[in-house]
Amino acid sequence: DQQVKQNSPSLSVQEGRISILNCDYTNSMFDYFLWYKKYPAEGPTFLISISSIKDKNEDGRFTVFLNKSAKHLSLHIVPSQPGDSAVYFCAATPAHGSSNTGKLIFGQGTTLQVKP
Amino acid sequence: DVKVTQSSRYLVKRTGEKVFLECVQDMDHENMFWYRQDPGLGLRLIYFSYDVKMKEKGDIPEGYSVSREKKERFSLILESASTNQTSMYLCASSFWTGAPGNTIYFGEGSWLTVV
């Protein structure tokens, strides 16, 4: 049972345009969400996160939007750069209470290609 | 900077061999994790540990065991390697915060090929 889903395996955009990566989740206990970026042959690195008490979090070119009623989040990259080409993983966790073991549930990943 | 170090980047093992993947973190993190990454499946949790000598099964523990004798070290053991365990293995660590939000930090990954 895939609790976190990234339904688009790949995305290709032109340099300078917006990249939008989507993620859906099913578990209503999730209340903290993260995006990780992964280059080939390297470990994932933390990119940006959002708590369920917010609907938007921004960090430079990266913005994450959360729609709790739809159980959907998205990562916007503006403007996209060739160096952003990587696999992006969405992750979720129940952040409160005894279930907070720090364990993250990841989606399948979306491969972003930004063309010069 | 947080440092999670995986001892072996690339390994080739034979079917039936016992395989040890070692991971060390230098940030005094309570939590440590082993994930595997496979195309189309994302990152799947094998085992995690929230304290020394404590361990819990993740989503795909079959065929694996773990050991955490010291806080900084978390080992993944394949008792009898099989070809379907060919994968990229990622170790990670994080603080136990008990508060909203918890970023985990990954190592560089270990590519294991079982032939």
Side-chain angles (χ1 to χ4, degrees):
Chain A
D1 180 30
Q2 191 80 27
Q3 298 185 70
V4 178
K5 298 179 184 179
Q6 294 174 256
N7 291 318
S8 298
S10 62
L11 175 68
S12 181
V13 301
Q14 209 63 37
E15 181 178 6
R17 308 295 278 268
I18 185 171
S19 296
I20 300 177
L21 295 93
N22 294 303
C23 178
D24 297 294
Y25 62 97
T26 58
N27 190 336
S28 58
M29 294 297 291
F30 291 152
D31 56 4
Y32 190 70
F33 305 89
L34 306 89
W35 284 92
Y36 280 78
K37 176 179 179 180
K38 184 180 183 299
Y39 293 116
E42 293 184 12
T45 54
F46 170 73
L47 191 58
I48 192 169
S49 62
I50 188 166
S51 165
S52 60
I53 62 173
K54 294 185 173 182
D55 54 18
K56 177 182 174 181
N57 189 28
E58 202 169 344
D59 183 2
R61 297 186 296 113
F62 302 91
T63 303
V64 56
F65 295 91
L66 175 62
N67 182 335
K68 281 182 293 182
S69 61
K71 293 191 176 69
H72 177 83
L73 62 155
S74 60
L75 174 68
H76 292 211
I77 306 173
V78 183
S80 302
Q81 300 173 353
D84 296 329
S85 298
V87 179
Y88 289 79
F89 290 101
C90 169
T93 183
H96 287 87
S98 60
S99 59
N100 178 16
T101 60
K103 185 175 72 169
L104 296 180
I105 308 299
F106 285 87
Q108 305 96 311
T110 297
T111 300
L112 173 66
Q113 182 185 27
V114 180
K115 297 179 179 177
Chain B
D1 274 356
V2 176
K3 187 75 172 174
V4 180
T5 304
Q6 295 182 229
S7 56
S8 302
R9 291 299 311 274
Y10 302 95
L11 306 94
V12 179
K13 297 292 182 180
R14 294 193 179 278
T15 300
E17 274 193 77
K18 191 169 186 176
V19 182
F20 293 86
L21 299 179
E22 306 286 343
C23 175
V24 176
Q25 51 95 2
D26 66 357
M27 282 300 293
D28 203 33
H29 284 167
E30 290 85 6
N31 299 334
M32 294 190 75
F33 310 86
W34 276 104
Y35 286 86
R36 65 179 277 181
Q37 183 197 356
D38 300 288
L41 298 176
L43 303 177
R44 294 181 293 165
L45 182 64
I46 305 171
Y47 267 98
F48 68 100
S49 168
Y50 51 88
D51 200 353
V52 175
K53 297 192 186 294
M54 304 300 288
K55 60 185 179 184
E56 287 200 20
K57 293 179 180 179
D59 300 317
I60 51 164
E62 296 79 18
Y64 304 95
S65 62
V66 290
S67 172
R68 191 157 181 212
E69 297 296 320
K70 294 185 178 181
K71 190 175 185 180
E72 68 272 16
R73 188 178 296 270
F74 193 35
S75 302
L76 180 70
I77 303 153
L78 288 67
E79 295 289 342
S80 177
S82 62
T83 54
N84 63 12
Q85 292 179 309
T86 292
S87 185
M88 183 179 197
Y89 290 87
L90 292 157
C91 176
S93 70
S94 71
F95 284 115
W96 166 266
T97 64
N102 201 8
T103 303
I104 72 172
Y105 300 89
F106 284 89
E108 295 279 288
S110 298
W111 284 100
L112 172 66
T113 301
V114 182
V115 296

